[in-house]
């Protein structure tokens, strides 16, 4: 690592993937710089996972206060102060920005503040300065995408702005049925907004297990979120103090805010990729091979900018593996099988492995175990909310190939089960695991009854089909 370049490794973007890769590379003795034009920590720390979960905690108190009565608590009138929540959240994020700065500086990484642009395959410009580097990492993440409809840009917000609103909107229409849409629906609803969530398809969270999607839709509707499926916004206009959202099914919704959660796009605009020989796909994502190498031999990319699996732990793992490979004499790739994920909706979803639908498509035989029950806490709280748990098992060898849950603590519970799945646990292993009583999680090791096999479509008689 004694190149004639200014740096051995120049990382563009100090988000989850970039920071991890920079620190690990520096730990191996590489001379590393990281450029960032916004705040250290990237999306996750500033306008993603961290502030989102703080707002989810805030929203959950609404239910907690209600539930407390059944346990004998008398709680007077409650009032939420949005401005205080946002201020406290901002303070915490500034603290984390500082933690990231200290982590990078402590590892000996040079922090370059400003927007980086590739000049050629070995040169990065930041403002007036130019830096040369042997290897370059593009870890610029993603950015919320607004649909191309009249009024979206002028009147709509995205998650970026939602984190910094001055006031809680009295009414909000959220557009999009992915992670961000359902998470923010729970946040705004819990904090007191009247929430409508519109999704263009018949049921939100496409790609998740059907039972999970249905269970969450039922719970959200029961809690008072207005779910508008098979419709989307075609135009937004301002009318006095409020907004009018013209929907594809003809209705016009009067609201105070319209939030678009219609996906994120890779952050590659103005990066100078062409000049450096880095190709992008039709969605603007940096094209990489299995070793994170772009079409330029010395330039790499990890995380959301590659538009593959847009999850923080994946970007971190990729950045780490790349640094090990390039500077640690330890070439390795990460395992993309069985990546657990959670949606921090109210109630939350935790999931790992195949959905029932995927398993039925790809495996010869599948056994399904489901359990739907009222958690013990709600026997006294009176809340009607149900928890859903589901195991998908490969009939050929008994391996558990999917675990899904909707209910309190689902993300925490599924994280543990993901270890079992990565280790190849079978249903028999689950069965011989002792439960922890009384918990909801024990249900995962006590499910005994297989769901009946679905009747194949060609065996459905005309009568039954009616
Ligand atoms: P998603 O891709 O998850 O969801 C986008 C939603 O918007 C989908 O329901 C999609 O519908 C819909 N949509 C897309 N384009 C349009 C359009 N033009 N008009 C109307 N609806 C549209 O994106 P998100 O923004 O929610 O999140 C981005 C990614 O960030 C996630 O996929 C996830 O990887 C990550 N993330 C992870 C979180 C976590 O781990 N908890 C939290 C938040 C984000 P359709 O399904 O029909 O395409």
């Amino acid at each position: 690592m004694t190149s004639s370049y200014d740096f051995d490794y120049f990382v563009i973007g100090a988000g989850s993937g970039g920071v991890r890769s920079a620190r690990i590379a520096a730990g191996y003795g590489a001379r590393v710089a990281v450029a960032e034009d916004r705040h250290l920590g990237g999306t996750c720390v500033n306008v993603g996972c961290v502030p989102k979960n703080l707002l989810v905690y805030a929203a959950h108190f609404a239910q907690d206060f209600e539930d407390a009565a059944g346990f004998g608590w008398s709680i007077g009138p409650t009032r939420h102060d949005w401005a205080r929540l946002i201020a406290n959240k901002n303070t915490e994020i500034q603290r984390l920005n500082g933690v990231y700065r200290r982590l990078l500086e402590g590892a000996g990484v040079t922090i370059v503040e400003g927007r980086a642009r590739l000049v050629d395959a070995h040169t990065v410009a930041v403002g007036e300065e130019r830096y040369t580097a042997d290897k370059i990492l593009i870890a610029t993440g993603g950015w919320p995408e607004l649909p191309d409809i009249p009024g979206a840009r002028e009147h709509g917000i995205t998650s970026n702005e939602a984190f910094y609103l001055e006031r809680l909107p009295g009414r909000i229409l959220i557009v999009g049925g992915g992670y961000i849409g359902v998470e923010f629906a729970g946040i705004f609803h819990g904090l007191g907004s009247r929430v409508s969530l519109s999704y263009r398809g018949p049921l939100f969270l496409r790609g998740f297990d059907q039972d999970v999607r249905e269970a969450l839709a039922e719970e959200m509707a029961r809690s008072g979120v207005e779910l508008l499926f098979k419709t989307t916004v075609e135009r937004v206009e301002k009318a006095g103090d409020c907004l009018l959202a013209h929907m594809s099914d003809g209705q016009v919704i009067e609201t105070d805010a319209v939030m678009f959660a219609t996906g994120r796009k890779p952050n590659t605009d103005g990066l100078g990729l062409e000049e450096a020989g880095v190709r992008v796909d039709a969605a603007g994502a940096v094209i990489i091979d299995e070793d994170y190498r772009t079409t330029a031999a010395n330039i790499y990319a990890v995380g959301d900018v590659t538009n593959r699996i847009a999850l923080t732990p994946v970007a971190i793992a990729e950045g780490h593996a790349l640094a090990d490979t390039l500077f640690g004499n330890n070439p390795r790739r990460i395992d993309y099988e069985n990546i657990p994920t959670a949606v921090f909706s109210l109630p939350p979803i935790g999931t790992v492995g195949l959905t029932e639908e995927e398993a039925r498509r790809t495996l010869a035989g599948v056994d399904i175990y489901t359990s739907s029950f009222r958690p013990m806490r709600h026997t006294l709280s009176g809340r009607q909310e149900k928890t859903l748990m589901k195991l998908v098992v490969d009939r050929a060898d008994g391996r558990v190939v999917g675990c899904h849950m909707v209910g309190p603590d689902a993300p925490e519970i599924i994280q543990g089960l993901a270890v079992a799945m990565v280790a190849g646990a079978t249903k028999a292993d689950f069965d011989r695991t002792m439960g922890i009583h009384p918990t909801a999680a024990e249900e995962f090791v006590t499910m005994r009854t297989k769901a009946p096999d679905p009747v194949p479509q060609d065996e459905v008689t005309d009568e039954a089909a009616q």
Side-chain angles (χ1 to χ4, degrees), residues 359-377:
R360 292 205 185 281
R361 264 200 315 273
T362 53
L363 302 174
V366 176
D367 288 329
I368 302 293
Y369 298 81
T370 52
S371 177
S372 173
F373 57 94
R374 197 174 178 203
M376 185 192 259
R377 174 185 164 115

Side-chain angles (χ1 to χ4, degrees), residues 402-455:
C403 299
H404 310 277
M405 175 173 173
V406 185
D409 303 320
E412 306 285 346
I413 292 169
I414 291 293
Q415 179 69 82
L417 294 186
V419 177
M421 276 188 46
V422 167
T426 60
K427 178 67 168 65
D429 293 324
F430 274 58
D431 292 345
R432 67 192 173 87
T433 302
M434 210 60 83
I436 298 176
H437 190 69
T439 61
E442 69 178 317
E443 199 69 19
F444 269 120
V445 296
T446 54
M447 286 192 234
R448 295 280 181 267
T449 314
K450 280 182 210 171
D453 280 342
V455 182

Side-chain angles (χ1 to χ4, degrees), residues 303-315:
D304 291 7
V305 77
T306 64
N307 203 19
R308 302 183 316 162
I309 300 173
L311 297 173
T312 291
V314 173

